[in-house]
Amino acid sequence: MNFKKHHQPFFPELAKRSFLYLFLSIMLLVYIAPVLFMVVSSFKPDARVLSDGNSLCAFLPVAASLKNYHDVFSRIHFNRILFNSLFITGMIVAGGLLINSIAGYALARLQWKGRNLVLGLILAILVIPFESIAVPLFYQFSLIGWRDSYQVQIIPFLADAFSIYLFYSFFIGMPKELEEAARIDGAGPWKTFVFIIIPNSKPVFATVAVLTFLMRWGSYLWPLMVTTGETYRPLPVAMAAFESQVKLWGDIMAFGVMMVAPILIVFLVFQKWFVKGVAASDTGRKG
Amino acid sequence: MDTIRGAKRNESRAAWIMVTPALLGLALTIALPFLIALVLSVTRYKLDTPLPVLFVGLEQFTRIFSDQSFLRALLNNLVFALVIVPVQTAAALALAMLLNRPLRVMPFFRTIFFLPVIFPMALVAIVWELIYAPGPNGLLNAFLSLVSFGNWQPVDFLNDPVWAMPAIMLLSLWQGVGFQMIIMLAGLQGIPRSLYEAAIIDGAGLWQQFFHITLPQMRNTIIFVALVTTILAFRLFDQVWILTQGGPNRATTTVIFETVRVVFKRQDVARGAAMSVVFFLVVLSITLIQHLYMKQHREVE
Amino acid sequence: MKKNPYQNYPLFLLMSAITVCCLLIGGCSSNSEQATGPVTLNVWFHTGRPAEQRVMEDQVARFNVSHKEISIALTMIPEGDYNTQVQAAASDGKLPDLLDLDGPFLANYAWRGHLAPLDGNLVDSLKDDLLPSIIKQGTYNGKVYALGTFDSGLGLYGNRQLLEAVNARIPQQPEEAWSKAEFQAILRKLAARDPDGMVLDLRLDYDGEWYTYAFSPVIESAGGDLINRASYQSAKGVLNGRQAIDAMQEIQSWFAKGYVTPNTDANSFVDGRVALSWCGHWEFPRYQNALGEKLVLIPLPDLGEGSKTGMGSWCWAITKKSKHKKEAMAFLQFLLQKDEVLAMSKANGAVPATYSAIAESDLYGAGGMLNLFVRQLQKSAVPRPITPGYPVITSAFQEAFLDIKNGAEVKATLDKAVRIIDEDISDNEGYRFIDQ
């Protein structure tokens, strides 16, 4: 960001840049220390995880082995729990993209009676945080006997006012010419949506997918309330239960590493979309 | 004419079909529970009770407002928000400004700072439980001892009435700041360079550039981030449930924690519903206040 | 250019159908436990120690082989939030045929109408063989609803070497327990010799029910109680009376003086860092492994009314809605056979539930290392309150204990606990029995 057009001696500039790099690198190390600690500890014997805390050994994989990882698999059905998280989050993202996008489109681009009323309702609902209806929702689901299942963890999160609002904001900003061309061809609203709107809306679909994924993957409160045992339990709740059973810190850290690994891979591959998606959550911008 | 009317009818029908799944979902999973909460909050209903249901008016509300734990929870949420919002927003802005350079390593740095955001809060809490371990072997205690040349007395952070809340704040900040940083970065990148160039020609120094260009241009973004962080601050639950169970002595209890505890440990779903209603009203008020504030400012401009 | 107006409908229908199908499959897979042939018996078991788990699985396997007409489907649920989970499952009628329950919570489930009484199927020979504490724990409103295959023992494990170094007397019987003053002196002397001053392990790495189980006996030893057991209608005067306050202040002083270790790694006793560990039967194998000859078992200190200790443990109950009560009872009777009781006791170190098993137990028989636990169950053990109000009582006490441990004012804290308990009892109309 060097706007200075004056003549500058070269060395102070180099010094400034080196200092910046150094500063950033130190900050980075301190910032990432907890992650390093977690990964390194996952390979250590349980006792050493705690006792190494006051030395540099905390970050060095001494006495490393894969024992903790074996322990995790022998103590719980990790694969099942991982599948639960992937399945539940995946279904919420997929289902959510489906029903929220068409709702957003209908609100943004179609003319119909009641449109303003529904829009107002959606905006009103936007204010209601999940936690304020968690308890009665729990009660509701227990009345129909749907506790401890996949449905109970998916269905409440499919329709999402914020997602609808994101779609709505995006669609409203799209140029009308696209649809007018389709209308002239005789295409109805559905066709227009599928063949014209969707292909031109990749950014908003990516944004909603990313934000939904981020919000749901780490979900703790709701699965804690509704799941019993491992069968339908997702990773975060399983990890907390694992930690409270026995304080074998090596095992616990191994669980943490395995929990984060798939997410990390997805993130690194789709990094660009993650960043764009998050940046666009401030709906004043289009990412 | 008929084709147009027909097309309009077609459009209207399609719109209703498109909007129905989402509307139905929202009605059943938000609107309906909300109403149920209102009804439950005026009863004494306990989960799975064989007794008949009694309506007791505002008794639950009287109870929760005379309950020290609940009042403390409200206070804690407020304090948490008042600290976290400025600190996390400022940190996010600072980080974004630091990383807003067209250097090739910047994406790498950005990724690293964003990383904790993809960690579930439950995981973050458990890792930090180790970091906060009491005694000289605890990572943080050891680190503080190092940087203070041995003058630091080890503290049991999560069990100390003074340190517990700051401990929760720190780990929450660590997990969340990356998210805000990305938003701030996007905002910074939207500021036209010409403004800066003009200022430099006028002889403005770095601080002046910051106060007269960066801040005003970023106003909307900053306000958005502040609003979101405030709402998130009131939803504080995961870390508290896993690490401190509201302790020590209510130092870290939060509204949602009290609500969940009362429903799960005492089966008192009516009281939990009353707390949920209060929680909703608090969040609503904050949102309205912030919207009003933003509107006022826009009018001034 | 007329295109087929329905061209895109199949796409949309397909997408929606896939989504809906996935949801349904997810839903159906949770309900498809249909077995053909032998009767499927759904059994829930809490997972405690791995050894316990293995014995249970083995018992189920052998029972399935010897009883071909019954097929047991065993579900293991982590102990940590077992009670919460069972309560929630009870709320929406999703309990299994047979499940083990934490003893003190039994009355609550029975009150809510979830359990079927066992009385009709209880033969006298079995009744006589069972420890009285087992039957008492499983009884509510005059009927027996559950039977455990073991009971628990709670005491003070000691490191003989460290104790002898301070000339501490080592009591063997509940009647010989340390007095309050004696215990304080021992702690003081131990701390003087200890590098970090922490000499007492109260298993703070546990949480939840442990606090009530382990520390309400201290209140009872001082003459207080968790609730007035005359009518179970109020805790006033017993939980916040003078004796209870004294007891909790005593415990608070241990923390204040720095005697208590946080035990983050759960190893303070086995590593020899502390001399005393307030713990239950389940840690005996690990402790003995680590300390060998140096391990001693000491009754809890006597705060005035005699040394009191905890009791009660997991017990098996049959749900009212079960369609296979006879089969469930058959499995329970299997589990109560002498050899099965012994097998479980060997695995989890708990007190066997039947006299016949105790007689053959190395640990618990006369002269065994853990015989103290049996004697305690006969003399000094106090059951946690047997009332449907127990879940709230224990929750209130746990909150109070945590506050007191962190230095809160004892009287105010106990007053608050009493308020919570009394309010709950009155809300529930005194937990009057409802015929269902």
Side-chain angles (χ1 to χ4, degrees):
Chain A
M1 198 160 76
N2 183 14
F3 301 123
K4 292 196 196 275
K5 298 217 178 101
H6 316 300
H7 291 293
Q8 282 270 307
F10 187 67
F11 285 126
E13 192 48 48
L14 181 63
K16 228 185 351 178
R17 198 180 281 200
S18 313
F19 180 71
L20 180 72
Y21 274 133
L22 187 66
F23 180 66
L24 274 179
S25 303
I26 293 179
M27 266 192 65
L28 194 88
L29 277 178
V30 171
Y31 195 78
I32 213 64
V35 180
L36 269 177
F37 181 60
M38 172 182 83
V39 175
V40 165
S41 302
S42 71
F43 293 107
K44 286 188 184 169
D46 304 298
R48 288 206 66 161
V49 172
L50 269 178
S51 62
D52 277 355
N54 62 348
S55 71
L56 211 55
C57 283
F59 300 102
L60 301 172
V62 287
S65 78
L66 286 177
K67 174 178 171 297
N68 294 323
Y69 289 88
H70 285 143
D71 279 350
V72 172
F73 281 103
S74 70
R75 281 170 61 186
I76 55 164
H77 296 117
F78 188 83
N79 290 328
R80 173 72 192 216
I81 299 174
L82 177 61
F83 172 76
N84 291 342
S85 271
L86 288 171
F87 180 70
I88 293 168
T89 312
M91 295 290 354
I92 293 178
V93 170
L97 282 180
L98 183 62
I99 73 176
N100 293 319
S101 63
I102 56 180
Y105 177 64
L107 286 169
R109 292 308 230 195
L110 299 181
Q111 307 287 352
W112 46 290
K113 246 202 294 208
R115 189 186 97 156
N116 288 328
L117 176 65
V118 172
L119 186 59
L121 278 174
I122 304 259
L123 290 177
I125 287 184
L126 211 51
V127 191
I128 304 180
F130 176 73
E131 285 80 3
S132 60
I133 46 110
V135 165
L137 192 66
F138 171 77
Y139 173 64
Q140 231 173 288
F141 275 104
S142 75
L143 276 180
I144 58 176
W146 264 17
R147 251 185 22 88
D148 201 26
S149 60
Y150 285 127
Q151 315 92 287
V152 76
Q153 298 182 72
I154 295 175
I155 290 178
F157 305 105
L158 289 174
D160 178 54
F162 185 61
S163 302
I164 296 177
Y165 183 67
L166 284 176
F167 279 117
Y168 168 80
S169 306
F170 187 85
F171 292 145
I172 280 255
M174 285 180 76
K176 291 219 164 118
E177 294 80 47
L178 288 168
E179 289 155 287
E180 265 158 28
R183 198 161 299 175
I184 290 172
D185 274 347
W190 288 102
K191 255 180 141 183
T192 314
F193 182 70
V194 173
F195 292 106
I196 309 288
I197 301 293
I198 292 186
N200 287 299
S201 310
K202 288 214 182 74
V204 72
F205 274 90
T207 300
V208 174
V210 162
L211 290 177
T212 310
F213 183 84
L214 276 180
M215 283 195 294
R216 293 289 142 231
W217 176 259
S219 179
Y220 181 73
L221 172 61
W222 184 248
L224 176 73
M225 289 170 87
V226 299
T227 58
T228 312
E230 288 179 353
T231 327
Y232 300 100
R233 192 165 256 191
L235 285 169
V237 185
M239 174 159 204
F242 191 73
E243 184 254 4
S244 69
Q245 261 171 35
V246 194
K247 295 273 196 266
L248 290 172
W249 287 103
D251 289 4
I252 296 170
M253 292 298 117
F255 191 121
V257 170
M258 290 201 290
M259 174 167 149
V260 140
I263 248 297
L264 203 54
I265 295 172
V266 168
F267 171 66
L268 289 173
V269 169
F270 293 103
Q271 227 182 106
K272 196 177 60 159
W273 292 113
F274 263 84
V275 173
K276 278 201 175 158
V278 168
S281 64
D282 167 7
T283 56
R285 303 164 198 297
K286 290 207 185 130
Chain B
M1 279 308 276
D2 273 335
T3 348
I4 296 178
R5 225 183 290 141
K8 276 224 175 93
R9 256 206 318 270
N10 195 21
E11 198 170 295
S12 187
R13 197 176 55 213
W16 276 108
I17 297 178
M18 285 185 168
V19 130
T20 297
L23 261 191
L24 200 64
L26 290 176
L28 290 177
T29 64
I30 298 191
L32 184 58
F34 187 69
L35 292 171
I36 291 183
L38 290 175
V39 172
L40 281 176
S41 68
V42 292
T43 69
R44 261 192 206 159
Y45 186 69
K46 314 246 186 243
L47 274 181
D48 189 34
T49 179
L51 295 165
V53 181
L54 268 181
F55 283 95
V56 292
L58 293 176
E59 183 188 77
Q60 295 290 357
F61 293 95
T62 323
R63 283 185 183 176
I64 63 181
F65 280 109
S66 46
D67 179 7
Q68 291 297 339
S69 304
F70 187 72
L71 294 174
R72 180 65 194 264
L74 279 171
L75 180 69
N76 283 346
N77 274 118
L78 196 64
V79 168
F80 186 81
L82 285 174
V83 172
I84 272 269
V85 171
V87 173
Q88 192 163 324
T89 311
L93 184 58
L95 276 176
M97 282 168 58
L98 268 175
L99 297 187
N100 189 23
R101 287 149 213 282
L103 298 170
R104 260 178 306 168
V105 279
M106 284 312 157
F108 170 71
F109 278 103
R110 270 200 319 249
T111 306
I112 297 289
F113 281 109
F114 186 72
L115 211 53
V117 176
I118 67 172
F119 285 28
M121 187 54 96
L123 172 63
V124 171
I126 291 174
V127 173
W128 279 82
E129 183 179 351
L130 259 189
I131 296 178
Y132 286 137
N137 282 339
L139 208 63
L140 188 60
N141 276 321
F143 176 74
L144 288 170
S145 185
L146 185 71
V147 299
S148 68
F149 304 110
N151 284 321
W152 173 261
Q153 292 299 328
V155 166
D156 188 355
F157 294 97
L158 295 173
N159 282 311
D160 187 305
V162 169
W163 288 104
M165 188 49 118
I168 300 270
M169 284 180 184
L170 180 61
L171 76 89
S172 310
L173 192 129
W174 182 81
Q175 198 264 358
V177 75
F179 192 90
Q180 269 86 328
M181 177 191 77
I182 297 289
I183 297 181
M184 293 288 197
L185 254 180
L188 282 176
Q189 283 165 355
I191 303 178
R193 281 194 185 179
S194 51
L195 290 174
Y196 287 107
E197 290 171 5
I200 290 174
I201 290 174
D202 282 347
L206 279 177
W207 280 115
Q208 285 164 318
Q209 287 173 44
F210 178 69
F211 279 109
H212 293 292
I213 301 177
T214 315
L215 273 189
Q217 287 289 315
M218 290 287 288
R219 212 190 104 250
N220 283 336
T221 311
I222 293 178
I223 289 178
F224 172 76
V225 167
L227 176 64
V228 169
T229 313
T230 312
I231 304 291
L232 285 177
F234 272 87
R235 297 170 62 181
L236 188 59
F237 172 76
D238 302 6
Q239 314 85 304
V240 173
W241 184 264
I242 295 177
L243 292 179
T244 60
Q245 285 282 308
N249 289 336
R250 312 284 166 272
T252 56
T253 186
T254 66
V255 175
I256 302 304
F257 173 79
E258 289 290 325
T259 310
V260 175
R261 177 168 64 178
V262 118
V263 171
F264 275 89
K265 299 268 165 84
R266 300 190 213 154
Q267 307 289 83
D268 199 344
V269 77
R271 191 173 175 132
M275 290 185 181
S276 306
V277 172
V278 171
F279 174 72
F280 166 72
L281 290 173
V282 168
V283 169
L284 183 66
S285 318
I286 295 174
T287 316
L288 283 178
I289 291 175
Q290 282 185 309
H291 271 152
L292 279 173
Y293 179 73
M294 274 165 56
K295 215 170 156 197
Q296 231 177 22
H297 260 247
R298 244 181 265 139
E299 280 165 11
V300 168
E301 281 182 6
Chain C
M1 199 148 70
K2 285 259 177 196
K3 289 193 190 153
N4 181 355
Y6 298 100
Q7 201 175 17
N8 57 318
Y9 276 124
L11 175 64
F12 246 90
L13 285 176
L14 189 63
M15 279 162 63
S16 327
I18 291 176
T19 315
V20 170
C21 273
C22 287
L23 289 174
L24 284 178
I25 290 174
C28 286
S29 67
S30 64
N31 297 325
S32 59
E33 308 286 358
Q34 314 287 346
T36 49
V39 166
T40 304
L41 200 63
N42 281 315
V43 176
W44 283 6
F45 184 64
H46 76 285
T47 47
R49 326 291 130 195
E52 224 171 8
Q53 215 172 319
R54 278 194 292 272
V55 168
M56 186 83 254
E57 285 165 354
D58 178 59
Q59 284 173 324
V60 166
R62 280 186 292 114
F63 184 83
N64 279 337
V65 164
S66 65
H67 292 73
K68 286 266 194 279
E69 72 283 8
I70 305 177
S71 168
I72 294 184
L74 183 67
T75 307
M76 302 274 202
I77 299 178
E79 184 172 341
D81 42 15
Y82 188 82
N83 284 322
T84 315
Q85 305 295 2
V86 172
Q87 272 169 355
S91 299
D92 41 62
K94 282 230 185 115
L95 288 174
D97 297 295
L98 177 73
L99 77 165
D100 75 332
L101 295 171
D102 202 5
F105 288 84
L106 182 78
N108 187 277
Y109 294 120
W111 177 72
R112 295 206 236 145
H114 291 304
L115 305 179
L118 303 176
D119 290 282
N121 295 307
L122 215 53
V123 286
D124 278 341
S125 60
L126 181 57
K127 231 179 179 164
D128 291 336
D129 196 18
L130 286 166
L131 282 174
S133 64
I134 296 283
I135 299 195
K136 196 151 180 228
Q137 171 179 259
T139 307
Y140 166 70
N141 208 43
K143 299 208 178 94
V144 176
Y145 285 93
L147 291 173
T149 58
F150 51 86
D151 207 327
S152 64
L154 173 72
L156 213 44
Y157 290 95
N159 186 321
R160 189 199 298 274
Q161 197 174 40
L162 295 173
L163 288 171
E164 282 174 355
V166 296
N167 290 325
R169 172 177 73 88
I170 299 188
Q172 305 280 16
Q173 304 280 356
E175 299 85 5
E176 301 168 6
W178 291 323
S179 68
K180 180 156 85 163
E182 200 177 347
F183 188 56
Q184 284 169 348
I186 292 175
L187 288 175
R188 200 173 42 243
K189 287 189 228 164
L190 285 168
R193 302 174 62 104
D194 189 288
D196 58 11
M198 296 198 273
V199 297
L200 180 61
D201 167 29
L202 295 180
R203 296 316 300 253
L204 292 180
D205 53 301
Y206 294 151
D207 60 14
E209 186 60 21
W210 165 249
Y211 297 134
T212 316
Y213 174 72
F215 304 110
S216 61
V218 178
I219 294 186
E220 280 136 18
S221 175
D225 205 344
L226 287 171
I227 190 168
N228 187 326
R229 301 195 194 210
S231 57
Y232 292 102
Q233 294 297 305
S234 171
K236 206 183 259 179
V238 285
L239 183 53
N240 60 351
R242 187 70 253 160
Q243 296 104 322
I245 294 178
D246 283 345
M248 294 312 288
Q249 278 175 341
E250 176 63 23
I251 295 183
Q252 190 175 59
S253 74
W254 303 338
F255 286 100
K257 295 186 188 150
Y259 294 151
V260 185
T261 170
N263 207 28
T264 322
D265 61 357
N267 286 331
S268 58
F269 185 68
V270 300
D271 285 348
R273 300 201 299 269
V274 299
L276 296 165
S277 179
W278 192 294
C279 198
H281 64 263
W282 52 87
E283 281 288 49
F284 175 73
R286 193 165 76 102
Y287 284 179
Q288 188 178 55
N289 232 19
L291 293 176
E293 288 291 312
K294 293 189 286 185
L295 183 66
V296 284
L297 186 58
I298 302 166
L300 299 179
D302 171 3
L303 262 67
E305 295 294 322
S307 163
K308 298 275 185 265
T309 187
M311 60 179 263
S313 193
W314 299 87
C315 52
W316 293 97
I318 301 178
T319 51
K320 196 180 235 174
K321 291 204 183 133
S322 168
K323 301 202 170 65
H324 310 296
K325 295 196 181 64
K326 271 214 328 275
E327 289 81 355
M329 194 67 209
F331 183 56
L332 179 53
Q333 278 163 339
F334 171 79
L335 291 175
L336 283 170
Q337 286 171 3
K338 182 179 64 172
D339 291 328
E340 302 304 334
V341 171
L342 271 175
M344 184 53 89
S345 169
K346 282 209 177 87
N348 63 10
V351 185
T354 55
Y355 285 113
S356 52
I358 290 176
E360 287 194 21
S361 163
D362 297 323
L363 282 177
Y364 287 101
M369 266 231 66
L370 298 180
N371 189 256
L372 172 65
F373 287 152
V374 179
R375 274 174 283 140
Q376 284 181 164
L377 281 173
Q378 289 168 320
K379 294 189 191 152
S380 62
V382 182
R384 284 158 283 173
I386 304 172
T387 163
Y390 184 73
V392 175
I393 294 177
T394 186
S395 161
F397 179 78
Q398 288 168 35
E399 285 172 39
F401 182 84
L402 280 174
D403 288 349
I404 289 174
K405 152 181 174 280
N406 288 315
E409 207 256 302
V410 172
K411 178 164 186 342
T413 310
L414 290 178
D415 283 342
K416 178 171 159 215
V418 167
R419 260 200 319 271
I420 294 175
I421 295 172
D422 283 6
E423 187 180 86
D424 176 71
I425 294 176
S426 96
D427 274 2
N428 281 293
E429 303 180 24
Y431 286 104
R432 60 184 173 85
F433 183 69
I434 316 256
D435 224 340
Q436 294 185 59

